[in-house]
């Protein structure tokens, strides 16, 4: 119908018409707010929405983009960004020694080296991973950043870095081992950790939900395209960031402590060191 009624068939005309209709829509709402006149509001709104849809359809037809395809993609995008998501079990079907533990605890211990502060982590009394420093000119606490990887594991069910630390790589499937648990996936995870951290100070160290905006989440989703974690939603990434930084702030304040990881509850819980002995 639009194709038959579009006499000009020029994108610039449709674009200018769309801009004009959006202005009219704005004026209709302005009238409602300022004059509190709602007598014709629904009728006016219906008309403006219809005109906007006509111009949008015109642009789609001119560029040969099926509207049904747009609607499906938009629905998938909304699902990806705004749905709650589910508890992920990316390693179901693998042997127990190749699965991430569903619940485990990690102890963070800080000590002073010859020139800087160091952090090591332990699981069941065994040191895992490397002893970390901030790798920075000033003390910014990044030595505790393994807690971010633990948050990804807890909330998303995904963390190639945590798998490597716990020696839970899925080596029985060479393709999964290479693509999902290999170096490139780990680099992506570390890049996300650095990206989020580099904005942390100006975002109040993510102490409230509004500090994690949709722009940051969309960037993360683009970085993880093609990996199994792409099944996770923006809301899950947001929860992982908020929980990870809540634990990070506590670890830094108390100079260590214990972090309990629960993949079934999608939860990361911080436990402060005890007064006696300094261990959690």
């Amino acid at each position: 119908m639009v194709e038959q009624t579009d006499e000009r068939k020029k994108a610039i005309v449709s674009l200018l018409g769309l801009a004009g209709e959006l202005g009219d829509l704005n004026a209709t709402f302005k009238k409602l707010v300022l004059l509190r006149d709602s007598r014709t509001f629904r009728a006016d709104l219906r008309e403006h929405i219809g005109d906007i849809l006509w111009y949008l359809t015109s642009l789609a037809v001119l560029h040969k983009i099926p509207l049904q395809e747009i609607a499906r993609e938009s629905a998938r995008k909304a699902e990806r960004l705004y749905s709650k998501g589910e508890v992920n079990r990316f390693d179901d079907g693998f042997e127990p020694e190749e699965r991430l533990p569903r619940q485990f605890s990690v102890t963070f211990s800080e000590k002073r080296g010859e020139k800087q502060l160091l952090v090591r982590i332990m699981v069941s009394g065994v040191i895992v991973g490397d002893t970390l420093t901030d790798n920075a000119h000033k003390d910014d606490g990044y030595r505790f950043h393994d807690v971010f990887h633990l948050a990804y594991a807890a909330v998303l069910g995904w963390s190639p870095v945590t798998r490597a630390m716990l020696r839970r790589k899925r080596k029985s499937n060479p393709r999964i081992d290479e693509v999902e648990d290999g170096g490139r996936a780990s680099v992506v995870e570390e890049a996300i950790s650095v990206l989020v951290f580099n904005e942390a100070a100006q975002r109040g160290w993510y102490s409230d939900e509004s500090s994690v905006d949709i722009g940051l989440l969309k960037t993360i989703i683009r970085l993880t395209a093609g990996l199994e974690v792409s099944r996770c939603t923006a809301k899950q990434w947001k929860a992982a960031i908020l929980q990870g930084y809540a634990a990070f702030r506590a670890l830094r304040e108390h100079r260590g402590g214990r972090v309990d990881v629960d993949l079934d509850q999608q939860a990361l819980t911080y436990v402060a060191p005890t007064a006696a002995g300094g261990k959690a």
Side-chain angles (χ1 to χ4, degrees):
M1 179 63 73
V2 170
E3 192 169 7
Q4 282 109 26
T5 57
D6 187 357
E7 297 179 348
R8 301 289 182 85
K9 290 185 173 56
K10 291 184 178 180
I12 187 62
V13 174
S14 296
L15 190 61
L16 290 172
L18 178 61
E21 290 300 331
L22 289 172
D24 290 343
L25 181 65
N26 180 67
T28 296
F29 274 94
K30 181 179 178 181
K31 178 181 177 182
L32 178 67
V33 172
L34 297 180
L35 303 180
R36 300 184 184 277
D37 184 357
S38 61
R39 289 172 297 175
T40 63
F41 174 74
R42 287 178 60 83
D44 292 342
L45 182 60
R46 185 184 183 93
E47 181 179 353
H48 293 320
I49 289 175
D51 291 339
I52 288 169
L53 285 174
W54 191 94
Y55 284 114
L56 285 173
T57 304
S58 172
L59 287 170
V61 169
L62 287 170
H63 291 281
K64 296 180 172 56
I65 302 174
L67 284 179
Q68 287 185 332
E69 179 183 307
I70 295 174
R72 284 195 298 268
E73 289 177 358
S74 180
R76 284 195 295 267
K77 181 179 178 181
E79 175 75 14
R80 180 85 183 280
L81 292 176
Y82 301 112
S83 69
K84 183 178 179 181
E86 59 186 21
V87 175
N88 294 299
R89 294 176 173 269
F90 294 119
D91 48 18
D92 270 2
F94 288 85
E95 294 299 319
E97 61 270 18
E98 293 187 344
R99 299 181 206 161
L100 286 172
R102 301 308 296 177
Q103 293 84 28
F104 62 100
S105 297
V106 181
T107 301
F108 287 73
S109 301
E110 183 183 81
K111 65 178 182 179
R112 179 164 291 280
E114 293 183 4
K115 297 182 179 179
Q116 55 196 323
L117 292 169
L118 310 171
V119 166
R120 67 181 183 185
I121 64 175
M122 302 178 70
V123 177
S124 301
V126 177
I127 297 175
V128 297
D130 299 322
T131 300
L132 298 177
T133 69
D134 284 344
N135 293 124
H137 291 294
K138 61 180 182 178
D139 181 348
D140 60 7
Y142 200 68
R143 58 192 175 276
F144 290 108
H145 88 275
D146 277 336
V147 74
F148 306 141
H149 302 303
L150 298 176
Y152 305 154
V155 179
L156 308 172
W158 173 86
S159 174
V161 173
T162 300
R163 282 191 185 279
M165 288 193 298
L166 299 182
R167 301 183 184 277
R168 297 299 180 104
K169 295 180 70 174
R170 292 164 285 183
K171 291 182 177 295
S172 62
N173 185 322
R175 187 66 173 168
I176 294 294
D177 181 41
E178 177 187 0
V179 176
E180 299 291 352
D181 300 343
R184 183 172 176 178
S186 295
V187 167
V188 168
E189 184 181 357
E190 292 286 10
I192 291 169
S193 176
V194 172
L195 168 68
V196 177
F197 189 84
N198 284 348
E199 297 194 17
Q202 64 188 25
R203 292 173 181 259
W205 296 99
Y206 304 104
S207 57
D208 64 82
E209 289 198 14
S210 63
S211 59
V212 185
D213 61 41
I214 195 65
L216 178 62
L217 296 172
K218 284 182 176 179
T219 299
I220 291 172
I221 286 173
R222 286 195 295 271
L223 285 172
T224 56
L227 295 173
E228 60 189 1
V229 72
S230 63
R231 283 166 42 187
C232 294
T233 67
K235 277 194 173 182
Q236 287 177 303
W237 273 106
K238 183 175 184 177
I241 292 169
L242 292 173
Q243 290 192 40
Y245 272 85
F248 171 81
R249 294 192 304 270
L251 285 166
R252 195 175 181 191
E253 177 184 354
H254 295 285
R255 310 182 77 84
R258 192 183 81 226
V259 174
D260 296 334
V261 183
D262 191 326
L263 277 68
D264 291 331
Q265 297 299 318
Q266 296 181 293
L268 195 74
T269 307
Y270 173 78
V271 180
T274 58
K279 292 183 180 180

